[in-house]
């Protein structure tokens, strides 16, 4: 087995790796580091969780150890699709470069231009950026990319989804032809293949197993959910989620819950909080400082449950997430792989549980086709459900509007105190929560919102089609989060008679 010592890395890098506790290189590291150190282009087909960040950061630091930074001309460039991922790469860089004198700047939205400009003016070795923000700086004349010797494109498939490919092509064109390119993508869509054929020169291709799909360390399951009545669907789905969390008991130390729509991220987080769970939302519409605060809290173990959209959670590295809950089946099958890859990282055990509503069944088929296996069906932990709830219960949405009662108040405060030191799954039963305020009724899907990283203001309007861009409603489609807007099948408009026939069939 390859050891880090065999890889020709700078001793200062080896020291930092040892301090980080890494013993042996992961397959993507063992495959990518040697050609990268030889100055070759690398095409890494790997997703987060495989150690891919170190596979480009470690050789970069080693190569940049010789030479020094020049004003406004970074020597290397790392492009990431989202702010969170860029910030994470920057953190990794700090860890691995701590014994060197190399400098970096992070160019992401939500961080002031001034501070970043000052760093770039002084000269940085590594520039870590999202494409839009990088082009903003470039167009303001603050940055020259002609000194870039190494360029990394991270999560290229995500760039494609977000409509960043034209920006990437433009940035490639601004860097010297002689640069070395390290290019990473979880999948090789035809468009990605085209980019690599155009901009990479005889790359060494390293493909590593999809950790999430092949990893036996992730226990997967799906609950086929059917509401007792259409109008109770939202309430009951959230009740099911809470029961699933509770059923995991102490094994569930922290969790990420994925929703397909931003609106549901907010509603689910609010509902969980109302029921006494320690949950916070994260999605592209929240301001950067709030997102950072939430993420830091989650990493530090202060926030136990992160309710997230796909885009906001992309590339998040929280090494010890015990559980992933898919509140919805993702409408793009690959997102399932990305989502469950948040747990079971670095060889740990993880659990991924999904809720599948009738309208998600087609998406479930797609997921199972992609991962080439059937996801085990789990019993609904709430037990046998009545086919139709009594009229009074259905009308008052009892579960989301628990009754007031003194004993319940007491039981909640005791539970709250206990929860301070207990794992998240020890949350109180839904019935103990005292809360008079009803959940907000689901709203129609909001208008398109900015993606986590705004694109370059002066960049031309995009011709790049997005896979699921239904109608170019925004001025610039890169600003949308199409995945979070998608309504599948009949959305909330399923006629009642269709549901009724299901119920009758089940009852019969
Ligand atoms: P990444 O795929 O870059 O997001 O990395 C996933 C996780 O694996 C991160 O928490 C890294 O710190 C960790 N990691 C990376 N390389 C190694 C290694 N060689 N040994 C153990 N952990 C690693």
């Amino acid at each position: 087995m390859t050891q880090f010592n065999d890889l020709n890395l700078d001793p200062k890098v080896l020291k930092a790796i040892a301090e980080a506790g890494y013993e042996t290189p992961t397959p993507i590291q063992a495959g990518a580091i040697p050609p990268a150190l030889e100055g070759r282009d690398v095409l890494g087909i790997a997703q987060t969780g495989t150690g891919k960040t170190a596979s480009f950061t470690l050789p970069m630091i080693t190569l940049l150890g010789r030479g020094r930074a020049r004003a406004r001309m970074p020597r290397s460039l790392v492009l990431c699709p989202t702010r969170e991922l860029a910030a994470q790469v920057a953190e990794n860089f700090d860890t691995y470069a701590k014994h060197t004198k190399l400098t970096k700047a992070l160019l992401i939205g939500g961080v002031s231009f001034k501070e970043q400009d000052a760093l770039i003016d002084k000269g940085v070795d590594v520039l870590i950026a999202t494409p839009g923000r990088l082009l903003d700086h470039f167009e303001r004349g603050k940055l020259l990319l002609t000194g870039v010797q190494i360029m990394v494109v991270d999560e290229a498939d995500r760039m494609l989804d977000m409509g960043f490919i034209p920006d990437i092509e433009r940035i490639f064109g601004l860097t010297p032809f002689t640069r070395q390119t390290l290019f990473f993508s979880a999948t090789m869509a035809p468009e990605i293949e085209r980019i690599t054929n155009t901009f990479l020169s005889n790359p060494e291709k390293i493909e590593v197993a999809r950790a999430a799909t092949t990893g036996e360390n992730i226990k997967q399951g799906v609950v086929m959910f059917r509401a007792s009545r259409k109008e109770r669907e939202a309430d009951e789905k959230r009740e099911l989620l809470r029961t699933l969390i509770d059923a995991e008991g102490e094994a569930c130390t922290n969790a990420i819950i994925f929703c397909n729509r931003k609106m549901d991220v907010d509603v689910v987080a609010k509902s969980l909080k109302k029921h006494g769970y320690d949950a916070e939302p994260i999605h592209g519409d929240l301001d950067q400082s709030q997102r950072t605060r939430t993420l830091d809290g989650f990493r530090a173990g202060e926030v136990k449950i992160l309710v997230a959209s796909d885009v906001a959670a992309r590339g998040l590295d929280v090494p010890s997430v015990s559980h992933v809950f898919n509140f919805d089946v993702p409408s793009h099958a690959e997102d399932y792989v990305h989502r469950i890859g948040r747990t079971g990282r670095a060889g740990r055990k993880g659990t991924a549980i999904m809720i599948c509503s009738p309208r998600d069944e087609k998406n479930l088929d797609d997921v199972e086709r992609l991962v080439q296996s059937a996801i085990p069906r789990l019993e609904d932990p709430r037990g046998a459900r009545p086919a139709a709830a009594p009229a009074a219960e259905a009308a008052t949405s009892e579960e989301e509007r628990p009754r007031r009662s003194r004993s319940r108040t007491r039981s909640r405060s005791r539970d709250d105190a206990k929860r301070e030191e207990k794992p998240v799954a020890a949350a109180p039963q839904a019935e103990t929560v005292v809360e008079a305020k009803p959940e907000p009724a689901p709203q129609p899907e909001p208008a398109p919102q900015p993606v986590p990283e705004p694109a370059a203001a002066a960049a031309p309007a995009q011709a790049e089609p997005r896979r699921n861009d239904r109608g170019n409603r925004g001025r610039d489609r890169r600003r949308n989060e199409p995945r979070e807007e998608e309504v599948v099948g009949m959305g909330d408009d399923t006629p009642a008679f269709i549901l009724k026939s299901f119920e009758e069939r089940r009852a019969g």
Side-chain angles (χ1 to χ4, degrees):
M1 190 192 274
T2 314
Q3 299 298 319
F4 278 116
N5 281 335
D6 305 332
L7 292 178
N8 271 330
L9 290 163
D10 185 324
K12 290 175 186 155
V13 172
L14 290 175
K15 189 168 173 223
I17 296 170
E19 286 166 7
Y22 301 173
E23 285 166 9
T24 48
T26 64
I28 187 77
Q29 291 162 3
I33 293 173
L37 285 175
E38 284 169 21
R40 290 192 53 195
D41 283 0
V42 169
L43 171 57
I45 303 167
Q47 56 164 322
T48 42
T50 54
K52 71 175 166 59
T53 316
S55 78
F56 61 78
T57 320
L58 304 181
M60 261 174 70
I61 297 169
T62 300
L63 292 168
L64 294 171
R66 311 162 214 139
R68 44 187 289 270
R70 290 168 57 195
R72 291 191 187 183
M73 290 177 71
R75 300 161 66 205
S76 67
L77 175 62
V78 182
L79 291 174
C80 303
T82 63
R83 298 169 185 181
E84 278 78 13
L85 188 59
Q88 209 162 276
V89 170
E91 239 171 66
N92 273 252
F93 174 82
D94 288 343
T95 305
Y96 307 137
K98 69 180 183 187
H99 299 300
T100 73
K101 290 200 168 71
L102 296 178
T103 56
K104 63 142 208 301
L106 181 61
L107 296 189
I108 54 176
V111 174
S112 94
F113 274 97
K114 219 172 133 200
E115 233 170 78
Q116 305 301 311
D117 278 348
L119 282 172
I120 294 169
D121 276 350
K122 262 205 302 190
V124 289
D125 298 295
V126 182
L127 189 58
I128 303 163
T130 47
R133 191 65 163 210
L134 180 84
L135 287 171
D136 279 349
H137 276 265
F138 179 79
E139 274 158 17
R140 291 165 71 242
K142 297 286 182 188
L143 185 62
L144 284 170
L145 296 175
T146 43
V148 170
Q149 297 155 22
I150 307 169
M151 173 163 158
V152 178
V153 178
D154 197 12
E155 303 219 349
D157 50 339
R158 185 54 34 179
M159 305 262 197
L160 174 67
D161 287 346
M162 295 174 77
F164 284 148
I165 293 298
D167 286 349
I168 299 295
E169 289 188 77
R170 186 160 169 234
I171 295 166
F172 266 124
L174 298 171
T175 59
F177 181 67
T178 50
R179 68 166 190 270
Q180 179 184 8
T181 309
L182 311 176
F183 192 99
F184 292 82
S185 184
T187 54
M188 284 301 285
E191 184 65 354
I192 302 285
E193 189 118 30
R194 181 184 70 77
I195 299 287
T196 57
N197 289 339
T198 312
F199 295 104
L200 272 64
S201 159
N202 185 28
E204 175 81 24
K205 187 170 166 184
I206 301 113
E207 185 161 3
V208 299
R210 286 173 163 253
T213 47
T214 55
E216 281 156 14
N217 52 331
I218 301 177
K219 198 172 81 193
Q220 300 174 54
V222 57
V223 179
M224 305 309 285
F225 161 71
R226 212 169 287 277
S228 63
R229 277 172 179 254
K230 176 68 190 146
E231 62 271 24
R232 285 187 53 83
E233 182 175 343
D235 287 354
E236 288 183 3
K237 197 173 176 191
R238 291 193 293 269
E239 182 201 10
L240 171 59
L241 174 68
R242 293 193 298 276
T243 316
L244 287 169
I245 296 171
D246 293 349
E248 289 300 299
E250 307 220 335
C252 183
T253 50
N254 60 349
I256 303 181
I257 297 170
F258 285 96
C259 302
N260 287 2
R261 302 187 298 176
K262 283 183 282 195
M263 180 190 75
D264 286 335
V265 169
D266 282 330
V267 172
V268 169
K270 197 168 165 222
S271 163
L272 285 171
K273 270 200 239 184
K274 196 170 82 175
H275 283 88
Y277 295 77
D278 187 2
E280 291 294 337
I282 183 160
H283 59 69
D285 286 356
L286 299 172
D287 75 53
Q288 186 60 32
S289 61
Q290 189 178 348
R291 286 159 65 173
T292 307
R293 222 174 23 249
T294 301
L295 272 184
D296 288 349
F298 188 65
R299 284 206 185 94
E302 290 149 13
V303 173
K304 299 290 185 195
I305 300 179
L306 198 62
V307 187
S309 65
D310 287 295
V311 172
R314 176 66 47 208
L316 285 189
D317 178 30
V318 185
S320 54
V321 174
S322 72
H323 283 63
V324 164
F325 293 93
N326 282 305
F327 187 68
D328 308 293
V329 180
S331 41
H332 289 268
E334 322 89 80
D335 279 340
Y336 179 75
V337 177
H338 286 294
R339 287 180 181 188
I340 75 166
R342 308 295 96 204
T343 183
R345 286 165 90 83
R348 290 182 182 84
K349 286 201 183 317
T351 303
I353 299 174
M354 181 153 69
I355 301 176
C356 178
S357 305
R359 67 164 159 269
D360 282 348
E361 281 172 17
K362 192 194 153 290
N363 290 340
L364 181 61
D365 288 346
D366 291 345
V367 167
E368 292 187 320
R369 204 169 308 122
L370 178 77
V371 302
Q372 291 173 13
S373 65
I375 300 171
R377 285 357 184 215
L378 304 176
E379 290 286 310
D380 186 330
R382 298 170 305 157
R385 308 294 295 172
E393 189 195 339
T396 54
S397 184
E398 183 70 12
E399 177 276 320
E400 288 292 329
R401 285 173 244 177
R403 283 169 295 230
R404 286 187 181 278
S405 119
R406 267 190 295 145
S407 66
R408 285 177 179 173
T409 315
R410 279 202 302 276
S411 103
R412 182 183 191 189
S413 44
R414 266 202 310 275
D415 276 315
D416 274 349
K418 271 190 256 157
R419 208 172 314 113
E420 302 285 277
E421 45 325 315
K422 271 182 118 184
V424 63
Q429 307 81 359
E431 300 77 45
T432 63
V433 178
V434 176
E435 182 68 62
K437 209 166 136 232
E439 274 294 295
Q443 302 290 315
E445 200 52 21
Q449 297 295 327
V451 291
E453 176 54 22
Q462 297 304 296
E464 181 68 24
R466 283 181 180 183
R467 267 192 284 153
N468 55 350
D469 198 354
R470 299 191 173 160
N472 180 8
R473 282 174 286 174
R475 183 174 54 83
D476 182 339
R477 282 180 289 156
R478 287 170 305 169
R479 291 172 187 271
N480 302 339
E481 283 188 321
R483 285 167 174 243
E484 294 175 5
E485 290 161 16
E486 194 136 33
V487 175
V488 180
M490 287 182 256
D492 288 336
D493 303 323
T494 312
F497 72 88
I498 291 182
L499 294 168
K500 194 159 172 246
S501 68
F502 270 129
E503 287 154 10
E504 282 167 1
R505 245 183 290 146
R506 285 175 74 223

